[in-house]
Amino acid sequence: MDNIELFQRLGLAIAIGAAVGVERHWRERDEPEGARAAGIRTFTMVGMTGGVAGLLERSLTVGTAYTGFVIVGFLIVVAIVMAIFELRQAIAEQSYSVTSVIAAILTFGLGALAVTGDMVLASAGGVSLVAILASREFLHSAIRKLQWIELRSAIILLTMTFVLLPILPNTPVGPYGGVVPRSVVLLAIMLASISFVGYIAVRMLGASLGDLIGGAVGGLVSSTGATVDFARRSRELEEADASDAISLAAGAAAAGAVSLVRTIVLVGALAMSLLPELLVPLALGAAVMAGYATVLARRQAGAAGERSLGNPFELTAVAKMAGLLTIVAFIARAATAHFGSAGLVAASAISALADVDAVAVTVAGMLPPLDIATAGRAVGVAVVTNMVAKAVYAFAFGRRSFAMHILVATVLAVGAGVVAERLQAMA
């Protein structure tokens, strides 16, 4: 490692300390000189101390049995000194916070990492540390507002994601590609996440805007899953909140609009030659659904009262929905296997009962041997089928008022897309 790189690494260690010091000093900026235990200068020097310890570590202990002793020794000294001064300040102010001591230890460690390890990780760690320190008020406020049912739902979601999912087999079971246990749980996690995001959005932004944003976020993941989840939630509404089905319908329509935009992006990324065939119809359909969602959200925004929020997601209901969509996907694969490439359009329609992305990826992979007109027709049929399927799901799982709005939005969007496709064909 040359001197220039060493200077860069030591400079990063100092910069990390300075960034943390700015936040710490700003928080106690009104204190007179000598009244704060550590500010911008102290934390800058803590970061520099970590860097110097790293340099000494590299110079003195590389290749010996004492690797790591220098950094650990410096760390112990820094921790003890900071703890002593923070203790004196805590006694004087009757405070019980050890945040600055932990921040100093982390700053030292990141400074040492900047010199001896990965500079990118050190930089990311420094930014994350400053962000955590600066978000104290937000985090404290969020914890005060947090309810037990929300905490429980978050714990269940995290357990499913980081404990259950990694240990499940990733090999298919059964014919026609089978069912992959990990994929089923991943689908359940996706549905639960959509529901949880929607719940948080409604709590923070109110019913109309929260459902609209929650639906748009859900559309980035799965518009089918978002529609099914919103439909289920509309049926669970109490009679006093029945009018909120309109707000949920706005969210489902927003998910549909985002899904169409996502298909445009996917086709453009995988098969640019196919994009001119689909761009105008899909974009017009997305605009119609987005407009309809906006109208519904504005209409509901004037409604009085607030929705009574229940469980962020009911695990049993989520499992049932995941199982249903898995069965639909399995049937679609079986039908595709029987139709073969000769029935591409029919197979695309069946596959789209669960998802459009798989069809878009498959069709894009068949180009250029497959002609553009057939490819465009296959993707177009898949998009229309998926939109109609979501309307059917809305009637099957949601309130009638919710489902009627999804049906109207679907008819308008499909009609606009068909008209655009016909005009494009005549041009």
Side-chain angles (χ1 to χ4, degrees), residues 43 91 98 146 176 219 268 319 340 356 384 397:
F43 274 93
I91 293 173
V98 295
L146 185 66
Y176 306 111
V356 176
V384 173
F397 303 111

Side-chain angles (χ1 to χ4, degrees), residues 63-83:
T64 71
Y66 303 99
T67 302
F69 277 47
V70 173
I71 292 179
V72 172
F74 269 86
L75 177 58
I76 293 173
V77 172
V78 169
I80 291 175
V81 171
M82 287 295 300

Side-chain angles (χ1 to χ4, degrees), residues 179-192:
V179 174
V180 182
R182 185 177 297 180
S183 298
V184 177
V185 174
L186 185 62
L187 180 59
I189 292 171
M190 178 185 69
L191 292 172

